[in-house]
Amino acid sequence: MLKKLAKIIVEYRIAFGLVAVFLLVVSFYGIAQLKFETNLANQLPENLPAVQDYFTVQNEFQSNEVLIVVVKIKDIKEGGVYDIRDPQVIQGIYDLEQKLRQHEYITNTMSIADVYINVLGRLPKNREESKFVLNMLPEDVRNQLISSDYTTTLIIATMNREKNTQALVRVYNEIQNDIDSVKFPQNVEVVQTGTVGILYKFLLFMQHDMYLTMAIAFLFVASLLLYFYRSPIKAVIPLIPLIFGVIMTLGFMGILRIPLDIETTTVGAMLVGMGIDYGVHVTNRYYEERKKGRSIEEAAEESIAETGKALLGAALTTIAGFSALSISVLPGLRRLSLALIMGLGLAALNAVVITPAIIILEEDLRKLITGHYEIPETRSHSGFIAKVFELMGRTVRDNPWKFLALVFVITLFFGYGLTMVTTEVRFEKMIPQNIPEIQVMNDVRYEFGGEDELDVLVKADDVRDPNVVKAIYIFEQSVLSDSYYNNAVEAESIADVVIRKYGYIPEDKEKIQQALEEYQGTPLVSSDYSMTLIRFKGNFMGVSQDEFRKIIRAFEEEIQNSEFPPGIEVSLAGDTYLNYALDKLTNTELQRISTYGTLLVVLIVILLFRSAKLSIAMATPMFLGALWTIGFMGWAGIPFSQVLAGTISMIVGLGVDYGMHLTHRFMEELEEGNPYPIVTAVKSVGPGIFIGALTTAGGFLALLFGELTPMHDFGKTLAFGIFASMLASYLVTPALLQIFYGKQIKKRGEEK
C-alpha cells in the first residue's frame, strides 16, 4: 500500500507542491485573524459552579475589578520631594484622580486627596497642613492610605469593563496616558497595577514570547541541520515542509477561531521542535538509500514507503497522546489538543509529500550546475557519530541486562523526585516577578495588607431581611477575627452600609432598604434583592500556592460553620476564587489526561504491531521517559500549571516514537536475514533519533527565551522529556529486543 502511495507522491510531486502552496496562501489570511485570550473565566468550563458564580457577579454587580495606581518615592535626588505628603504630590494625585473619573468604565475612586477635600474642602497648601489632617485619622484608616515611612500611597479605582483583549489594551493605554499627562514632582514614580496592569503585561509577554520563541526555535533547528547535513541547501530541505506546516497550523487556528492563550501560545515553538522530526527521518533514509546506489526516484520511493510506516505509527501515537488533552474540561487544553493534532498532522503530511519533491528538485538543480549527481555525505551516517552508534549497538547486543540495570538505578533517582512535585496556576505567578507592576503590587501587600479581593456571594429570597443582614455581619466579623489564617484585612457588605447609617441593624426591612438606596459605593445588591456580595480584601494572591490553598479552605470552613438562616446559599466567587478552582481542576485533569493518553498510545502500539514483545519494547521507554520527567520536575522545583497539565500525555505520545523507529528497523533487518539486526538498527536509526531529539528539544528550549514563567517551565520539562525518552529508547528498546529475539538470531546464525 505504502509502496504504491510512494510512487504516486514521487510521480505527481509537482501537483502536490502546488496544492501545498495554495494552502499556504490561504493560511496567511487565517494568521491575520488570530486573537489573544487573557480572560481567566474563558480558561475554565462554563458549567463549573465557580465560573457560573463569577458570571453572576459580573452580570448582577457589574465588575469588581480593581485598578491600583501606586504613587511612590523612587529616588532621593536633590531638587525633588522626599515625602508623599508633599502638597505637590497630593496635587498630582488629585489631578490624576479627576482624569480617571472621566472614563465611563471607572465607577469609583479613592485616594488621600479625597480625605483632604472632605476635611478641608480643598487640598493642603503646605506640609504642616498635610500632616495635620493625616494625623487626625485613626491609625488603621491612615495605614490603609499611606505607607508607614510616608513613601507610598495608592489611588484605588473600581472598574466595569468588557472582558476582552481589545478592551484591556484600550483601558490600559488610556490610563497610562492619564498618568503620563499629569505632572508629578521629581523623585516620584507612578505605576498602574492590579488586574488591568498585570493582565496587560501578561498579554504583551504572550505576544512577544510566541514570535520570539518560534523564531529562535527555527534558528536552533536550522543550525543543527546545517551541522549534520554539511550544506545550507540540504539543511533547508527538511525545514521547508516544517515551515509550511507551522504557517498552515497558525492560519487554520485563525480560520477556526482558536485563540492564542497561555496554552496555545506555545504551539509555534512546539511544532518547530516536533515537526522537524518527520522531515529528518525521511531525509536521512533518502540519503542512506542514495549511498547504496539507488536512483533518486527509487531512493525517494523507498524513504517514503519504509520510513512512512514508522512515521505513520509515530504520528498516530503522538496524536493519540495529544488527543487525550481533548477530553479535558479545561477549554485551553482542548484548544491546545486541536492545534497540536492539526499541526502534527500537517507536519507529517508535508514531510512525506513535500520533502521528496524538494530533495529531487535539489538533486536535479545540482546536476544542471555541476553536470552530474552527487552522492550526499552527512555527519549523521559517517565519522564520529556513526562510530558511536555502531559501538552502542554492539555493546547493547552483548550486555542487554547491564543496560536494564542502569535504567533501574536512574528510575530510582527520579522516582524520589515524584514526591516533591507541586502545582501553580495563578496568572500573577506566570509573569516575571521583577517587573514594576508586580513589584509595586508586592509593596501594596506589604505596606497596606493587600488589595486582592475575594467575594462571598449570598443568595436569599430577600437579602434585606434583618435576619440575613445580621448573619452577614456575624460572618464578616468572624472572618476578620481570623485574619491570621485567612489574610483578610478589610470587608464591605450591606451590613456595614446599614450600621454606618443607623449604628445598628434595625428589625425593619424598610429601614434597611432606605440605607441601601442611599449607598453610593460599588454595587453590593442585585436589582431584585435576591443576591448580595461580601467583599473581602487582603493578601490572598501574594503568598505561596500552598498558603493560597489554605486561605481559600479557611474561607470555605467559615462558610460551612456560619449560621445563616435556612434556605440561604453562600459561596465564594470572583477572580481570586477562579484561580483556586483552576488549581483543583489542574490536579484532577493531570491524572485523567495522563491516564487516557497513556492507554490510547499503548492501544495504538498494540493494534499496529500486534505483538506483546514488540509492544513492550516500544512502550517501556515511553513510560520511563514520562516517569523520569515528573521526577525531574520535582528535583528542579517546576510546578504543574494549566499549561503543564497535559505534559505527561504529550511526552508519552512523543516518547514512544523513538522506540518505534528502532523496533521497526530491527524487524525490517530481522526479516531480511541480517545476522546483526540490533547493531544495524541502532547504527542506522540511532543518528536520526538523535538529530530528531536535538531539534525537538531545541524547539522546546526556545521557550526559555520567553518572559512567561510557564513557558520556561514548559520548555525545560518537554526538552527533558524528549531527552529522557531518547535515552530510555537507546537503553531499553534494543536491550529488550535482544533479550526477546536473541535466541532466534543466534539459532539462525548457527544454521547458516
Side-chain angles (χ1 to χ4, degrees), residues 43-47 263 321-337 582 585-594 596-597 641-643 645-646 649:
Q43 308 293 316
L44 292 165
E46 294 181 357
N47 60 349
E263 288 93 355
F322 289 170
S323 66
L325 303 179
S326 64
I327 68 171
S328 173
V329 298
L330 297 174
L333 288 183
R334 291 202 301 270
R335 292 191 288 261
L336 179 61
S337 173
L582 180 57
L585 270 180
T586 298
N587 283 288
T588 303
E589 293 299 280
L590 172 63
Q591 299 173 20
R592 199 162 69 100
I593 293 169
S594 301
Y596 279 104
S641 64
Q642 59 267 48
V643 179
S649 179

Side-chain angles (χ1 to χ4, degrees), residues 305-528:
E306 293 302 326
T307 309
K309 295 176 185 177
L311 284 182
L312 176 62
L316 286 175
T317 52
T318 304
I319 287 173
F322 289 170
S323 66
L325 303 179
S326 64
I327 68 171
S328 173
V329 298
L330 297 174
L333 288 183
R334 291 202 301 270
R335 292 191 288 261
L336 179 61
S337 173
L338 177 58
L340 287 176
I341 290 172
M342 181 169 58
L344 287 174
L346 287 169
L349 185 62
N350 278 301
V352 173
V353 174
I354 304 299
T355 304
I358 297 172
I359 293 177
I360 294 173
L361 178 62
E362 187 264 343
E363 292 240 45
D364 288 341
L365 289 175
R366 188 176 293 276
K367 182 185 178 184
L368 286 176
I369 296 171
T370 63
H372 59 86
Y373 289 116
E374 293 182 2
I375 303 299
E377 187 73 23
T378 68
R379 282 190 173 94
S380 56
H381 289 105
S382 62
F384 175 74
I385 292 177
K387 292 178 181 177
V388 167
F389 281 100
E390 183 175 5
L391 177 62
M392 181 186 295
R394 294 182 183 279
T395 306
V396 73
R397 178 196 63 186
D398 300 333
N399 305 278
W401 289 106
K402 290 182 179 179
F403 273 66
L404 295 182
L406 176 60
V407 168
F408 179 72
V409 173
I410 296 172
T411 303
L412 286 179
F413 173 77
F414 286 113
Y416 181 75
L418 293 174
T419 63
M420 297 182 281
V421 178
T422 59
T423 59
E424 176 59 79
V425 301
R426 291 169 292 175
F427 270 5
E428 184 178 321
K429 302 300 181 181
M430 295 184 182
I431 61 180
Q433 299 298 294
N434 61 348
I435 65 171
E437 289 78 4
I438 295 296
Q439 288 181 333
V440 297
M441 194 66 190
N442 290 332
D443 291 342
V444 169
R445 289 175 176 135
Y446 177 77
E447 293 287 353
F448 303 97
E451 285 293 332
D452 302 323
E453 190 170 285
L454 180 59
D455 296 332
V456 175
L457 180 63
V458 180
K459 298 179 181 179
D461 292 335
D462 192 334
V463 297
R464 295 169 296 182
D465 186 317
N467 292 324
V468 175
V469 179
K470 288 176 183 178
I472 289 173
Y473 180 75
I474 293 171
F475 173 78
E476 183 181 337
Q477 296 306 308
S478 176
V479 170
L480 292 176
S481 67
D482 288 335
S483 61
Y484 178 80
Y485 300 101
N486 56 43
N487 280 17
V489 298
E490 183 183 339
E492 178 74 359
S493 71
I494 58 173
D496 299 313
V497 173
V498 173
I499 289 175
R500 278 198 297 267
K501 180 173 177 60
Y502 301 111
Y504 66 99
I505 298 175
E507 296 293 339
D508 188 345
K509 186 166 71 174
E510 299 302 322
K511 284 189 174 183
I512 293 175
Q513 180 172 343
Q514 183 180 349
L516 296 180
E517 289 174 350
E518 293 176 3
Y519 172 65
Q520 298 296 317
T522 55
L524 293 172
V525 184
S526 62
S527 57
D528 62 356

Side-chain angles (χ1 to χ4, degrees), residues 547-560:
E547 285 297 317
F548 176 67
R549 294 192 193 105
K550 290 178 183 178
I551 288 171
I552 301 300
R553 284 197 290 266
F555 271 93
E556 289 177 333
E557 288 175 6
E558 290 281 1
I559 291 174
Q560 290 174 1

Side-chain angles (χ1 to χ4, degrees), residues 39-45 48-55 58 330 425-426 453-454 541 548 552 572-586 642:
N39 188 2
L40 177 59
N42 292 335
Q43 308 293 316
L44 292 165
L48 192 72
V51 176
Q52 293 174 344
D53 286 342
Y54 172 84
F55 285 117
Q58 295 296 310
L330 297 174
V425 301
R426 291 169 292 175
E453 190 170 285
L454 180 59
M541 301 290 282
F548 176 67
I552 301 300
L572 291 168
D575 287 301
T576 300
Y577 188 62
L578 279 186
N579 283 275
Y580 178 72
L582 180 57
D583 176 56
K584 292 176 66 177
L585 270 180
T586 298
Q642 59 267 48

Side-chain angles (χ1 to χ4, degrees), residues 152-172:
T152 307
T153 188
L154 311 176
I155 303 174
I156 300 174
T158 53
M159 307 179 64
N160 178 25
R161 69 170 181 88
E162 293 183 29
K163 301 289 184 174
N164 59 58
T165 302
Q166 292 80 2
L168 172 68
V169 173
R170 179 175 66 88
V171 168
Y172 181 90

